[in-house]
Amino acid sequence: MTPVRSYQFRLHPPESSMFERCVGLAWCSGCRIYSGAMVYIPRTRALVDALGSLPPDERVRLRRSEVKLVDHLDRQGDR
């Protein structure tokens, strides 16, 4: 059975009224079909930053392309 993976990340800084509006992605690891949506995540919920160890320019590059982001996150999940 192929796992379905998911990831959520914030777009806005904590001082923004839009802080709770986040991006949610879910995808099939086998076929890489994915779905993305704006999702509500409460301010009190801390999100894991799977891109936190990357240089800032690489993080920006990955977040600009959902396909590249899903590919990167899926490779991380295989480790």
Side-chain angles (χ1 to χ4, degrees), residues 7-11 25 27 47-66 68-76:
Y7 181 62
Q8 300 85 36
F9 62 94
R10 297 191 189 275
L11 293 172
L25 297 170
W27 67 94
L47 296 178
V48 174
D49 186 356
L51 306 179
S53 64
L54 299 175
D57 58 328
E58 180 70 5
R59 294 169 62 139
V60 169
R61 185 185 73 80
L62 288 171
R63 286 195 173 161
R64 285 187 181 151
S65 168
E66 289 180 349
K68 289 178 183 176
L69 179 57
V70 166
D71 185 54
H72 174 81
L73 293 170
D74 204 57
R75 285 193 315 269
Q76 298 301 323

